[in-house]
Amino acid sequence: QVQLKESGPGLVQPSETLSLTCTVSGFSLTSYSVSWVRQPSGKGPEWMGRMWYDGDTAYNSALKSRLSISRDTSKNQVFLKMNSLQTDDTGTYYCTRGDYGSRFAYWGQGTLVTVSS
Amino acid sequence: DVVMTQTPVSLSVSLGGQVSISCRSSQSLVHNNGNTYLSWYLQKPGQSPQLLIYKVSNRFSGISDRFSGSGSGTDFTLKISRVEPDDLGVYYCGQGTQYPDTFGAGTKLELK
């Protein structure tokens, strides 16, 4: 059974760095890509970046200067780090796995991140 | 970036009825490999989005045949027949043909 679960701090101070972990089960990170997607309250999702199965990464150019995605295959975890957070970075952050013709076939439960002092 | 425009923003339906949601992209979604990476998602209240349809018209595993997708190029439609209470929520279209992947702003399906 494919499962993804996000974890991390719910509250981040402005200008600080966000660190999130996606722990997966039911599949191997060396066989499937994992993406990070965020969603401000009441708005559509925004793709942030991707860890490919071969270890390569891809980033949304809008976030590329602030974003880093890495992984630990031995722990079945994918990591997101984003610096210089501002209030408009507030939202729910999801990790997702691709399959078939969609890169977002399976979604984690999401983790709410609030940027506030 | 490819802009995905969904209409209407909201939709009211009676149980058992049928609805259509439109999604238009600012560029053709036909990939160089011939595939069209247009997907539909449903986000029920308080839940994560879930994949319904991929590559325009293919239902994801476990998705009812009451959901059907169609379209080509830049114009796409999701149809829901015999609407049930569990179908209510926000529907999003999304494209994966061009980088970056982008999503529409959503169509909220409510009960009349």
Side-chain angles (χ1 to χ4, degrees), chain B residues 1-50:
Chain B
D1 297 1
V2 177
V3 176
M4 306 297 287
T5 302
Q6 289 183 235
T7 54
V9 172
S10 63
L11 205 47
S12 295
V13 64
S14 300
L15 294 178
Q18 176 174 298
V19 295
S20 292
I21 300 171
S22 172
C23 176
R24 288 188 173 176
S25 57
S26 60
Q27 302 173 32
S28 172
L29 297 186
V30 180
H31 194 275
N32 290 338
N33 64 14
N35 289 313
T36 300
Y37 295 101
L38 185 283
S39 299
W40 290 95
Y41 306 85
L42 165 60
Q43 187 169 30
K44 300 177 185 178
Q47 295 187 20
S48 307
Q50 62 179 101

